[in-house]
Structures are given as C-alpha cells and as structure tokens.
Amino acid sequence: MTDQSNLRCKAFADKIMSAEEAAAFIPAGSNVGMSGFTGSGYPKAVPAALVARMSEAKAQGERFAVSVWTGASTAPELDGALAEVEGIDLRMPYQSDPVSRAKINAGLMEYMDIHLSHVAQMVWEGFFGHMDVAVIEVAGITADGELIPSTSVGNNKTWIDQADKIILEVNSAQPIELEGMHDIYYGTALPPDRLPLQITDPMDRIGVPYLHCPPEKIIAVVPTNSPDRNSPFKPPDADSKQIAAHVLDFLTHEVRKGRLPASLLPLQSGVGNIANAVLMGLGEGPFKGLTSYTEVIQDGMLELLRNGTVSKVSATAFSLSADGLAELNKNIADYRKQIILRPQEISNHPEVIRRLGCLAMNGMIEADIYGNVNSTHLMGSSIVNGIGGSGDFARNAFISMFLSPSTAKGGAISCIVPMASHVDHTEHDTHVIVTEQGLADLRGLPPRRRAQQIIDHCAHPDYQAALQDYLDRATASSGKHTPHLLGEALSWHARYLKEGSMLPA
Ligand code: COA
C-alpha cells in the first residue's frame, strides 16, 4: 500500500520542531514571506509563536516587527494577530483583516497594495529588499522530499526560490487528496527571456504538481492540524439576486447576438459577497458546461461545479466557508479532475486572460458617472482590502464587469458618484457596470453617453436626479468631452463625512 501520510520524507525527521522553536529563527526587522491567499493555505502556528516573541519584546520596551509578504489575505491568527501587537513594518500585497485595516488607516503599519500578478517579478527585481525567511504551509511532503501544496498556491514558488531559509508547516488538517491538483510552473523569467505561456484552455497543465525546495534551505518542519479561516458568506440578499439576474440577462443577450458562444468564455469572479451571490445566480440560469479561469474558488463556484453549470476551473486558491470546505473534502476526488491551482502570476497572467477572453466580474466600492472604478478606498483615503487581482482581470478581460449595490450604509452613500474618490480601474477598463437597479453596457460609448447610461441604469432613484443635474450643469459649463464641475466633483463625499449622508439636503 502506498504511504498516504502527510509527512512521508524521512530525511526531514531531524528538522521537526515546535512552532516556538521555528519562530526563533525569524529575526526582528527581517522580510518574511508567508504562504496564504484569501484565507487559505496560510501558516497556522509559527505566526502565533512569533506574536508571542513580539509581545515579550514589547513588555521589555523593545520593538520587534517584521515585514510580511504573502499571496493575498490570510486570517486573524496571522494578519490580525501580528497587526494587533504592531508587529508588521510593511505588509504587501493584499489584506482584508479588520485589525490590520485599522492599523494601516491609523498610520501605524505600512501597506502596499499591488496587482497580484506583479508581486513575484517585483520581488525578483528586489524592490522590497531581500527575503530572509519564508514560512510556507504545505499539505504534505512526499517520500522524495517534494512539497504537496496546500489549499492555496499564491506566491509560494517565488518565496521558496527567493528566501534564504524556509520553515514548513505541514498541516494534516488539509486533505492529502489535494496531491495532484496543483500545477506549478517553473519556466518564469524576467524579460527578455520570457516565453509564451502554453495555456489555451483553463485545464492546460504547463508545470508540475509539487513545489521544489532545496533540502538545505529547510530549517524547520512544524507539524500542525488546524483548518483554514473558512469565513461564512452572507446569504444572497434581494440586491445581490437582482445583480445576478441582470448579469444573466446580459450574458444571454450576448449569446443571442453571437458575441459569445453558448458555453460563454472562461468566467472570472472576484472576492466578496456580491461576486459569490452572482455565481450562485448563474447556477439557476440556462448555462451548462461553462469554464472558469479565475483567482479564487468560493462556495458559489463549487456549487456550479457540482450542478454541472461549470465543468472546469483554474485558480490559485480556495476561499470557502466551513460548509464549502466540508463539500470539497467530501467530493475531493471528483473536484481534483475539475480544478487546477496555479501560482498567482499564472492564474492572473494578462497574456492568458486576454487569450482566453475571460468574462471578469468584480465587486467595487463606487464608480463615477464615466465608469472610473474605486475598488479599494472609502472616501478616497481609508483602505478596505486592496486591488487584489481585479486589475489583472479587468484590464485584460474580453468583457470587464463591475458589480455593486447602488447604495451602501442604508442608502446614506451612493455607489454611483460624480467623481470616484480613488481610482483603481479607469473608464477604459470598465465595459459594464451592474447594480440592483440595472446594467450599463458602456462598450462603444464616448464619455457623456457612458454617463447617461450609468445614471439611467445603475443609479439609485434617490440619487438619480442629483447625478443628472450634475451632468447637465457640467455639460453646460465646462469642457464638453468629459464634463466635470471641479469645485463640486467630490462634494458628495465631503457631505457624507460632514453630515453622515450623501443625500442632498
Ligand atoms: N462607501 C462606503 N462603504 C461601502 C461602499 C461605499 N461606496 N460600498 C460598499 N461599502 C461597504 C459595505 O457597506 C460593506 O460594509 P459592511 O460589511 O460594514 O456592511 C462592505 O463595504 C462590503 O460591501 P459588500 O456590498 O458586501 O461587497 P463585497 O463583499 O462584494 O465587497 C469589495 C466589495 C469592493 C470590498 C470587494 O469586492 C473587494 O475587496 N474588491 C477588491 C479586490 C478584488 O476585486 N479582488 C478580486 C480579484 S479576483
């Protein structure tokens, strides 16, 4: 019988140690790579042991902080716990933790929010300095010393390549049946040595199922047995269902027009409740045998795989609720035939996204009347999460859609505003905007016609007249290409900050 245990490699026996012993290898001030992407595959034990060291240092009046680089967001026991003790100098490239968000917005922690496909090359180029240690969760180690990746791949291949020393957490709570699901590409290079990526279908494999790590780099192997973060999703509410219905009608229309094949093109679906709700809505539509080339696999995508709406998915990570995880574990042998997890510079690669013609669906904070989209900042200044992979997909998708309820905070905020208070995606990368009110198809439209579409189809009725009035007065009194009233363009945000509502008095 073949050995199916998590830790099959006898050569690492003398490197097995506790999280506390392993954390002692991480010096203050170092650059630490950690695995983890949207709450999956992050180290579970070493960060807590590091936090204990940081707290001890703090009690003695010393500062102990490190820079933390990951794939994307992690979990309270990593991002939250390190941020709580102010143990992070610079965090990159994406977070979604409430404690770390508060520290960043209070100016107590530096954060760099980067297109997720750019991170690996920026680290190779040395922009963030040298990576001293990487702490990587794996699902297992084979008898030959190959690393079986966990529930996310993210930047792990790059971290293992770049770090001087590697600490492995071998998590026996992760299903060992993940073995074989991953595709780790070892052909990446900096220009001018880059070669075309031979992916013409989401299920094309161009790499190997394992992460390679020179054994001499591995300084510690820490056995763990803890589940991923597994945050619950909000059940789809009336607005999300309405947004999903508009997306479904639009896709059906595009098929009827002959602009999309009956099985559509590979779907990309972003993070968050709205994106998850749209996926669930797709499952109730007429489509079958769809494909997906995306970044994360949320519960909604598993549901689509289960009911046959989607037949194959490429991503870099799972991001599941506890129920979603139970479903994955129960039917993992089937899912392994339908799912590939890749490094994030491949799951989000512009070349592949453009070639496959992905249909991108991402959440947003707000859009302005011309289609500039803010995905990251509240009232222009306070970070929420980060751009994540939304820019990788929006810029290169065949159709780039942004989705949001038309209002937030009980109607006190309009998500359609005269001018976006921060821009992550310019009007040029926004093809379609969808709110529960309707869908604005902006393709082929110059700025003023785009504005009219967005006001007519996406704005909430409470804000429609004020937006129309803004557009009319701007058109009457300023440059006619993209009319704005500069003294008023951000007055809606200023009014909210002063009066607690964007609604006109
Ligand atoms: N002003 C202030 N707050 C706003 C807002 C606005 N214009 N729009 C939304 N919000 C708030 C909501 O009220 C909600 O807050 P709450 O949890 O306190 O109620 C929160 O933002 C999330 O809104 P929700 O409508 O539930 O959307 P979501 O869960 O789909 O998340 C984003 C929306 C934009 C935060 C999320 O999609 C994101 O982080 N995107 C950037 C990264 C990304 O797109 N990655 C995908 C790449 S594959």
Side-chain angles (χ1 to χ4, degrees):
M1 207 180 119
T2 52
D3 184 358
Q4 283 298 298
S5 59
N6 292 73
L7 230 173
R8 294 171 221 159
C9 183
K10 306 289 174 262
F12 294 136
D14 60 342
K15 293 182 180 172
I16 296 175
M17 63 184 78
S18 70
E20 290 69 27
E21 289 169 305
F25 289 121
I26 302 176
S30 55
N31 292 324
V32 185
M34 301 246 187
S35 59
F37 200 108
T38 51
S40 63
Y42 57 92
K44 314 288 191 288
V46 173
L50 188 59
V51 167
R53 286 185 63 202
M54 289 168 167
S55 303
E56 278 163 31
K58 207 171 181 180
Q60 288 168 16
E62 289 164 24
R63 177 168 154 74
F64 186 150
V66 296
S67 288
V68 176
W69 314 345
T70 61
S73 57
T74 63
E77 60 262 47
L78 197 168
D79 269 321
L82 281 154
E84 188 67 57
V85 296
E86 287 165 21
I88 302 183
D89 284 327
L90 172 79
R91 177 73 177 89
M92 70 102 173
Y94 183 86
Q95 61 74 44
S96 64
D97 181 83
V99 181
S100 102
R101 183 182 298 145
K103 296 283 180 188
I104 295 164
N105 287 323
L108 297 169
M109 174 175 150
E110 285 198 299
Y111 174 50
M112 217 188 139
D113 164 27
I114 310 170
H115 290 304
L116 295 185
S117 73
H118 284 178
V119 181
Q121 79 169 35
M122 286 198 180
V123 170
W124 298 332
E125 289 174 283
F127 287 117
F128 300 96
H130 184 70
M131 184 176 285
D132 302 289
V133 192
V135 189
I136 307 289
E137 178 181 280
V138 294
I141 306 180
T142 70
D144 298 334
E146 298 278 32
L147 310 181
I148 304 167
S150 183
T151 38
S152 65
V153 178
N155 281 316
N156 293 353
K157 180 229 159 223
T158 301
W159 290 178
I160 290 170
D161 286 351
Q162 293 290 312
D164 291 334
K165 297 170 181 167
I166 309 293
I167 297 171
L168 295 176
E169 285 199 5
V170 184
N171 187 355
S172 50
Q174 299 291 15
I176 195 65
E177 295 86 352
L178 285 168
E179 186 173 2
M181 192 184 267
H182 310 87
D183 188 59
I184 314 297
Y185 180 59
Y186 277 90
T188 41
L190 286 171
D193 299 318
R194 280 190 179 150
L195 297 171
L197 290 179
Q198 301 296 337
I199 298 177
T200 58
D201 179 278
M203 291 311 270
D204 282 345
R205 286 182 173 272
I206 57 171
V208 294
Y210 303 106
L211 289 159
H212 305 312
C213 182
E216 61 279 10
K217 268 193 172 188
I218 299 174
I219 54 169
V221 174
V222 179
T224 63
N225 187 342
S226 307
D228 282 330
R229 175 183 80 188
N230 305 131
S231 316
F233 289 99
K234 284 189 208 158
D237 60 9
D239 282 354
S240 332
K241 285 186 182 161
Q242 208 47 61
I243 290 171
H246 295 315
V247 171
L248 220 70
D249 283 351
F250 169 72
L251 295 173
T252 308
H253 174 259
E254 290 300 292
V255 172
R256 215 177 293 126
K257 281 272 181 190
R259 289 193 286 248
L260 288 178
S263 58
L264 304 180
L265 289 167
L267 304 169
Q268 177 262 336
S269 164
V271 295
N273 293 304
I274 304 293
N276 193 53
V278 168
L279 287 181
M280 295 203 158
L282 268 172
E284 286 151 29
F287 302 109
K288 290 283 166 224
L290 309 185
T291 62
S292 174
Y293 196 83
T294 191
E295 183 184 287
V296 293
I297 299 178
Q298 303 193 140
D299 288 22
M301 186 59 82
L302 278 194
E303 171 80 34
L304 295 187
L305 282 167
R306 201 163 48 229
N307 69 23
T309 307
V310 169
S311 59
K312 45 193 177 180
V313 184
S314 162
T316 190
F318 289 102
S319 182
L320 300 171
S321 69
D323 288 349
L325 179 68
E327 164 59 27
L328 174 72
N329 285 342
K330 193 165 99 202
N331 294 308
I332 194 158
D334 293 334
Y335 287 123
R336 207 173 43 212
K337 294 180 207 136
Q338 299 179 296
I339 293 174
I340 294 182
L341 296 183
R342 309 176 188 275
Q344 69 194 63
E345 75 263 34
I346 308 297
S347 66
N348 289 27
H349 203 293
E351 173 196 343
V352 182
I353 295 165
R354 181 65 67 94
R355 179 184 303 126
L356 297 180
C358 289
L359 305 176
M361 299 179 282
N362 289 294
M364 64 178 184
I365 300 282
E366 64 184 4
D368 69 23
I369 52 175
Y370 296 109
N372 297 292
V373 166
N374 171 8
S375 296
T376 56
H377 284 71
L378 298 184
M379 302 299 142
S381 300
S382 296
I383 191 84
V384 179
N385 300 326
I387 193 169
S390 56
D392 294 324
F393 284 92
R395 180 73 186 88
N396 300 292
F398 189 63
I399 305 178
S400 166
M401 296 173 247
F402 282 99
L403 329 168
S404 169
S406 64
T407 60
K409 305 298 169 206
I413 291 176
S414 174
C415 298
I416 306 296
V417 287
M419 183 181 265
S421 61
H422 174 95
V423 177
D424 295 291
H425 313 286
T426 73
E427 56 185 304
H428 312 285
D429 297 336
T430 307
H431 300 148
V432 171
I433 291 190
V434 195
T435 69
E436 81 290 352
Q437 298 296 324
L439 180 147
D441 185 351
L442 309 176
R443 294 171 300 168
L445 299 183
R448 278 181 290 137
R449 287 169 61 196
R450 274 205 294 269
Q452 201 57 61
Q453 279 286 315
I454 294 174
I455 295 171
D456 290 348
H457 296 287
C458 299
H460 191 277
D462 289 350
Y463 291 97
Q464 226 162 10
L467 288 166
Q468 188 66 54
D469 174 55
Y470 177 86
L471 177 64
D472 292 345
R473 285 185 296 115
T475 305
S477 70
S478 70
K480 303 278 185 282
H481 182 60
T482 307
H484 266 303
L485 300 169
L486 289 186
E488 238 183 78
L490 295 172
S491 63
W492 291 34
H493 300 85
R495 187 159 59 242
Y496 175 78
L497 289 175
K498 199 162 160 228
E499 297 167 15
S501 176
M502 284 186 179
L503 278 168

